[in-house]
Amino acid sequence: MNIWTVANQKGGVGKTTTTVTLGALLAARGEPVLLIDMDPHASLTSYFDRTPEELQATLFDLMSAQKLTPGLIDSATLDLGNNLYMWPAAMELATLDRQLGTREGLGLLLKQLLEKLDGLYAHVLIDCPPVLGVLMVNALAACQRVLVPVQTEFLAIKGLERMLRTLSMMEKSLKGARQVTIVPTMFDKRTRASLEALQELREEFGDKVWQGMVPVDTKFRDASRSHVPLPLLMPQARGVFAYEKLLETLLPTEVNA
């Protein structure tokens, strides 16, 4: 089971878009994909037109349960269709550390949850909040690869430096280093700022940076408004093509992992 965490300590860089688009492309290959919304703001959950307060159970219920049962997992798992499934977020996730502060292994709750799935999904994608805390720690501890979307502008690059420092610190306590792929997003080849930021990314972070880029594409906004992943709504969109190219670089070494 491939588990990828999509994370950055800066908001608005394309984390949810990356999670949704890659998830839909993987699911289109005929394998079940689980999307996990770790952000209390529930952007991923809202993308699919779900309201946390109206759901029977959420990721918070799974992570806070004293005893995890198959029934609870089923209740919290939303079938989105087209081989896509989701564990939705809830605002209560923001209080997880306060409510479970005395529980041992607080940073490994998600990892332990996923171990109980017993190969039910081929791929798991985790959408993180833009804040270092117990939720991001859980997401990073559970995964094999970290995808770091970075908007091609200079302030976003500064946020990337913080994210990589966080990963470096966490690797000292986690077993095994996580593979890191930096994904340039919102690239506009018409602007000098985007061109220069992309060049700086590649010069400063080297082979950690994917050699492609995700362009500015208003079709992503249209897909979000329709609550449908762009690969399903407009499979020929240039943004979809970019993420297909990204998958080609990620899957060869991991598809049989």
Side-chain angles (χ1 to χ4, degrees):
M1 185 166 65
N2 290 316
I3 305 174
W4 299 344
T5 287
V6 183
N8 195 324
Q9 287 174 252
K10 186 180 187 304
V13 296
K15 292 190 298 296
T16 299
T17 294
T18 297
T19 303
V20 170
T21 308
L22 288 179
L25 288 171
L26 287 165
R29 295 169 177 248
E31 298 177 312
V33 176
L34 177 66
L35 308 179
I36 300 179
D37 192 350
M38 293 288 289
D39 191 343
H41 290 105
S43 295
L44 179 62
T45 304
S46 298
Y47 187 104
F48 289 99
D49 201 22
R50 302 307 204 275
T51 303
E53 293 76 18
E54 298 175 359
L55 297 174
Q56 185 176 358
T58 69
L59 178 62
F60 174 77
D61 297 295
L62 295 178
M63 296 185 73
S64 62
Q66 290 292 330
K67 183 178 181 181
L68 195 66
T69 64
L72 180 57
I73 294 175
D74 290 344
S75 296
T77 305
L78 302 182
D79 185 346
L80 304 173
N82 300 293
N83 289 319
L84 275 176
Y85 301 84
M86 178 171 65
W87 284 351
M91 288 187 64
E92 290 86 352
L93 282 170
T95 68
L96 191 70
D97 54 344
R98 295 198 296 274
Q99 296 202 30
L100 303 180
T102 59
R103 183 182 294 191
E104 186 177 350
L106 186 60
L108 299 174
L109 293 177
L110 184 61
K111 180 179 174 64
Q112 293 163 358
L113 275 172
L114 292 175
E115 288 172 350
K116 296 180 182 298
L117 296 183
D118 193 26
L120 188 60
Y121 302 97
H123 306 278
V124 177
L125 281 82
I126 307 167
D127 190 18
C128 276
V131 178
L132 177 59
V134 68
L135 297 174
M136 185 180 286
V137 168
N138 266 270
L140 295 175
C143 71
Q144 301 120 4
R145 179 183 288 275
V146 183
L147 301 176
V148 188
V150 180
Q151 184 179 357
T152 47
E153 57 96 11
F154 288 106
L155 288 179
I157 293 175
K158 295 301 179 184
L160 172 61
E161 293 171 354
R162 291 195 301 273
M163 184 68 222
L164 293 181
R165 282 198 299 270
T166 296
L167 282 169
S168 178
M169 288 188 295
M170 284 197 61
E171 283 178 357
K172 296 175 183 178
S173 58
L174 296 175
K175 293 182 179 179
R178 272 57 183 161
Q179 293 176 291
V180 177
T181 302
I182 297 167
V183 182
T185 62
M186 305 179 195
F187 177 73
D188 187 346
K189 65 181 180 181
R190 300 168 299 179
T191 68
R192 177 181 293 181
S194 266
L195 291 167
E196 291 179 349
L198 182 62
Q199 182 179 352
E200 180 171 334
L201 268 178
R202 290 176 173 165
E203 289 177 352
E204 187 166 348
F205 301 103
D207 58 7
K208 282 188 172 66
V209 183
W210 170 47
Q211 287 306 299
M213 73 288 292
V214 179
V216 171
D217 190 344
T218 58
K219 299 297 190 298
F220 284 122
R221 190 183 308 124
D222 297 337
S224 177
R225 190 179 299 115
S226 299
H227 306 292
V228 176
L230 188 57
L232 298 178
L233 187 69
M234 303 176 195
Q236 301 304 315
R238 59 178 181 165
V240 173
F241 178 75
Y243 278 108
E244 287 174 340
K245 289 297 185 183
L246 173 60
L247 268 186
E248 289 176 9
T249 70
L250 299 177
L251 283 177
T253 59
E254 298 187 3
V255 72
N256 296 315

